[in-house]
Amino acid sequence: EVQLLESGGGLVQPGGSLRVSCVASGFTFGSYAMSWVRQTPGKGLEWVSLISAGTIRTYYADSVKGRFTISRDNSMNTVYLQMNSLRAEDTAVYYCTKKKGDAFDMWGQGTKVTVSS
Amino acid sequence: QSVLTQPPSVSAAPGQRVTISCSGSSSNIGKNYVSWYQQFPGTGPKLLIYENDGRPSGIPDRFSGSKSGTSATLGITGLQTGDEADYYCGTWDSSLSAWVFGGGTKLTVL
């Protein structure tokens, strides 16, 4: 079964750091770009970051550039999002997604990140 | 404010047809493929349409997509109460080097 399972969310103080992870199963992980998309409660989807499959290239939304880092470990079928200098506006559910062609064809169930003192 | 513009809500009766628009620009929709996603409360989004008009396996042909210039449209025919959900369009923006989504449209089946 094709599955994406996020973990690592939680409560963190403003200015703090958190790393969320996503373990993939059911497909050849190393062959696909992976991305993180977040959703603030009651709001729409906001793309956060993407990491390519082969020659590693990374892309970030302006709102997180310089604070967040996406990485992947193909031996562990895992993609990570390291989040530093967190702000209240980073509070959201973070979804891990698999990119196939020009679409995100698989989504995880999400992990909730709350930035609050 | 989202780069792609969708109506906040649409509604129609069961059995009817509804369309959801997604308006962008030459750097995003005008240049790249559009995809559509369906999201029910408390769950992750699900891919409905890829590459403007492609349907993944398992998506009924009641759902269709099209693109013209800098706009795209999701069509749903034979509406069912189970179609009540939020719908999002998305594409790559070549100028921003970023993926962009529409603000989402809430579909109500009256």
Side-chain angles (χ1 to χ4, degrees), chain A:
Chain A
E1 181 190 3
V2 181
Q3 192 173 7
L4 299 173
L5 190 61
E6 303 97 334
S7 63
L11 174 65
V12 60
Q13 292 189 339
S17 298
L18 198 65
R19 188 179 80 163
V20 291
S21 305
C22 170
V23 177
S25 58
F27 63 96
T28 307
F29 179 76
S31 297
Y32 294 94
M34 300 294 294
S35 193
W36 289 94
V37 176
R38 68 186 181 185
Q39 186 169 34
T40 305
K43 298 290 180 64
L45 303 174
E46 180 189 11
W47 174 79
V48 173
S49 182
L50 181 144
I51 186 165
S52 64
T55 304
I56 296 299
R57 290 170 293 175
T58 57
Y59 303 87
Y60 299 93
D62 284 345
S63 58
V64 306
K65 205 171 290 183
R67 301 187 298 123
F68 289 13
T69 302
I70 191 171
S71 61
R72 64 190 299 160
D73 182 340
N74 289 343
S75 68
M76 299 288 288
N77 286 359
T78 301
V79 60
Y80 304 98
L81 185 68
Q82 176 68 44
M83 302 181 288
N84 299 331
S85 302
L86 281 161
R87 307 165 180 167
E89 54 265 37
D90 295 318
T91 294
V93 174
Y94 285 73
Y95 293 103
C96 170
T97 72
K98 167 179 167 281
K99 190 170 179 289
K100 181 179 179 182
D102 289 303
F104 298 119
D105 71 329
M106 280 296 303
W107 297 67
Q109 86 292 345
T111 187
K112 186 174 180 180
V113 173
T114 302
V115 183
S116 175
S117 54

